[in-house]
Amino acid sequence: MKIGELSGRASVSQRSLRYYEEQGLLTPTRLPNGYRDYDERAVTTVRRIQILLAAGLGTSAIAEILPCAVDDTVVLSGKCPELIDGLAKERQRINTTIDDLIAARDILDSLIGRPLHTQTARSR
């Protein structure tokens, strides 16, 4: 499929697809006329890229994770156990940032006369 069709099916811009290619996350073949040609797996790959970007991961980390995907539903498999520690550290970094933001919000709430939010138990 051409870039326009992939863009529509994966709900991302053509610019994003070209960026993913520059970063080595997508590898289309080239037709004799120079147009990009993507196979059906590209739709799933682009959706995975979007999920991983939304999780706050950079393209270099995503490039390491993508080969570990084994089917349409599993983003990370037991194939790449060496990535688990790094992802756990990233998750902890995000949790720390969330805690810091909640504390900052609570301070602002107290400054403007709103009651402090009580943090409910969350699994982290």
Side-chain angles (χ1 to χ4, degrees):
M1 80 187 83
K2 292 192 177 87
I3 194 168
E5 183 180 350
L6 178 57
S7 173
R9 289 183 56 194
S11 300
V12 299
S13 69
Q14 292 181 28
R15 181 178 178 186
S16 291
L17 295 174
R18 287 189 287 273
Y19 176 73
Y20 300 159
E21 183 181 350
E22 288 171 12
Q23 298 301 306
L25 304 177
L26 277 179
T27 311
T29 57
R30 292 286 183 157
L31 299 173
N33 61 5
Y35 289 1
R36 292 167 175 84
D37 186 39
Y38 297 92
D39 61 23
E40 282 297 316
R41 292 174 303 185
V43 176
T44 299
T45 300
V46 170
R47 289 184 180 144
R48 281 190 185 118
I49 292 167
Q50 292 289 294
I51 290 168
L52 295 168
L53 286 170
L57 298 173
T59 56
S60 60
I62 292 170
E64 292 181 51
I65 293 169
L66 285 177
C68 298
V70 294
D71 61 31
D72 289 350
T73 59
V74 178
V75 174
L76 186 62
S77 74
K79 238 170 75 165
C80 302
E82 68 278 5
L83 295 177
I84 299 297
D85 287 341
L87 292 172
K89 286 178 185 173
E90 179 61 14
R91 185 175 191 274
Q92 183 55 48
R93 184 195 68 75
I94 290 170
N95 283 337
T96 299
T97 301
I98 290 169
D99 291 342
D100 291 346
L101 288 169
I102 289 170
R105 181 194 61 201
D106 288 346
I107 291 167
L108 289 172
D109 282 351
S110 70
L111 292 171
I112 60 175
R114 293 181 183 228
L116 293 177
H117 297 302
T118 57
Q119 185 173 356
T120 58
R122 296 185 212 189
S123 58
R124 292 192 185 187

